[in-house]
Amino acid sequence: MNEINLVPGQTILIELEEECLLGKILHIGSGKSFIRMSNVRDVATRTNLGIQTYYHSEIRSIQIVAADNNISQPSDLARSDDSLRAVEDGAIKYKQLSLSSLNELFEQINRYVFIHQTDIKYHDSIRFLKNQRYFGIAMEGIQNGRHSKSPSLLTISTFESIYIFDIKWVKITEDIRDLLTNERYRRVIHNERLIRDALQHKYNISLGKCFDAMVAHIAISKSEGIHVDNVIPLQTCVASYLKIPEKFFNSNVCYESRPLNDEAKQEAAKNVVFLLPLQELFIHEIMLEPFYHSCRKYSHSLSSNPDFINSLTELQDNDCSALEMIEPNILGVDLSTLNISENAADKDS
């Protein structure tokens, strides 16, 4: 907490030992010994806790989500122990989610649609999904791939909705098979090989082309000289890039019992809702940033010239200075690292 500039009026996300809480700072104790917050809300359960006080010793991390219009936005993350701070120091800083984006994601988690039979709710969901183009896909109960005893849930997210299909009861229908295989859809997955292995060997489904968030994270990290393990949990990706503390997730939820309880359904929704935002960040904030940088330089090459006539003349010349301003850039990801990551991961299997 000592490394972050906290001031009253900021909305912050704090991570405790067992909770993640969102609230607005009312008061900061002398020497930052404690923080008093209003409108405190548990981001996992959506429980409103009112005014609460939290002491330095119980706070694991703080993320500033939003500030009053009259105060500037300081550094976005502080860690209260050395190991977490070292991780931050070795990582790249990315644009954090806005408060409105966070609230939308949290609301989306609570608006999930649970489907356990082929009724009107199922048909409405399929009709909606078939009109979409981008999906996040997650499966529960497939930790051992094809050797998993009983796959439990298949969860599909869009930018607006989350659909949880209980594949122990409704199995995988032809409609769902089409969503998983048809190349017209753009799918985002974390650790695709487990899902692909389970689908291929337990359901005879060949998963279509996917963007794997785990492979992207490994490739980007290695290109920046950061050591990472070959298999990384989704929670680690979400914490590293979207700044949602890992305690937001509950890895101890059981998906086997039926009827399925609300906690398990909500946890399944959490495991899919961040996939599309991760892909957006990976592609547009990291991988394509050198290209966007060149586009920005070229777009300014004409407008920055105060003499419009001279600018037109330059554009007509064979040796156009505006075009020469575009420098060659290398994409921020070394594609060879993808093969390295996959080969290394295969050795672990």
Side-chain angles (χ1 to χ4, degrees), residues 209-264:
K209 183 168 60 179
C210 298
F211 180 98
D212 193 323
M214 186 185 77
V215 174
H217 170 59
I218 292 173
I220 291 167
S221 298
K222 287 188 175 181
S223 72
E224 298 295 336
I226 302 171
H227 173 75
V228 290
D229 296 328
N230 288 314
V231 177
I232 298 170
L234 172 67
Q235 294 87 335
T236 301
C237 270
V238 173
S240 297
Y241 295 95
L242 303 182
K243 305 304 180 187
I244 305 296
E246 293 190 35
K247 288 293 181 182
F248 176 70
F249 299 89
N250 181 2
S251 58
N252 298 318
V253 168
C254 176
Y255 297 99
E256 293 302 312
S257 61
R258 292 296 185 276
L260 202 65
N261 60 41
D262 290 340
E263 183 183 14

Side-chain angles (χ1 to χ4, degrees), residues 44-62:
T45 65
R46 308 292 290 173
T47 304
N48 291 317
L49 304 176
I51 296 176
Q52 298 288 329
T53 300
Y54 301 100
Y55 291 87
H56 180 279
S57 59
E58 61 182 327
I59 298 175
R60 292 191 57 190
S61 69
I62 300 174

